[in-house]
Amino acid sequence: MTAKGIEGEIIVAGYVSFASGEIDRLQPQMQEVIAASRAEPGCLDYTYARLLEDPDTIRIFERWCDADALRNHFLNEPVVRWVMVLTKADVLSRDVSAHSVSGTHTLREFRDLPD
């Protein structure tokens, strides 16, 4: 049993839109939290990507081995600092969710193609 009874891999995905210039201003802190998060036990992937079609928006994609790893992530000091930075940043909108994964499949399994 893991945190709050959630089993399996956890994917965090979504976006955050900032006022013009905020991503450039926050880039050093983003780089710090990305590097620290990637080094955490249980982190399988941790990525922020600036959208080509909207350069003031970042897509967030994270994979954690389980809910406990994600829960512990929020106790990591660089993450605590990043959350404090975000509370003062000029954020226009955000939509980030965590998803529990019951299994992983190749894309081929969803396409009508022979093996």
Side-chain angles (χ1 to χ4, degrees):
M1 187 69 64
T2 61
K4 298 190 180 187
I6 300 169
E7 301 280 338
E9 186 177 307
I10 304 295
I11 292 178
V12 175
Y15 70 87
V16 180
S17 293
F18 295 90
S20 182
E22 276 293 86
I23 292 176
D24 293 329
R25 185 179 75 78
L26 298 173
Q27 190 165 350
Q29 293 95 332
M30 285 184 193
Q31 290 175 327
E32 178 188 356
V33 77
I34 289 167
S37 298
R38 287 177 177 170
E40 289 180 48
C43 180
L44 304 173
D45 195 0
Y46 195 97
T47 304
Y48 293 174
R50 200 170 198 171
L51 298 184
L52 292 174
E53 66 273 19
D54 182 358
D56 294 319
T57 297
I58 59 169
R59 283 278 179 208
I60 297 168
F61 182 81
E62 306 170 22
R63 287 177 47 231
W64 297 92
C65 68
D66 59 30
D68 285 334
L70 178 56
R71 189 175 185 168
N72 289 331
H73 166 67
F74 290 107
L75 303 175
N76 188 350
E77 187 57 36
V79 176
V80 172
R81 284 195 303 272
W82 175 237
V83 169
M84 292 305 297
V85 165
L86 281 176
T87 64
K88 297 173 184 159
D90 196 353
V91 174
L92 302 178
S93 64
R94 77 181 80 203
D95 182 10
V96 182
S97 301
H99 310 269
S100 57
V101 177
S102 62
T104 301
H105 310 276
T106 66
L107 282 178
R108 183 174 295 270
E109 294 175 69
F110 295 92
R111 296 169 44 198
D112 194 26
L113 297 175
D115 286 335

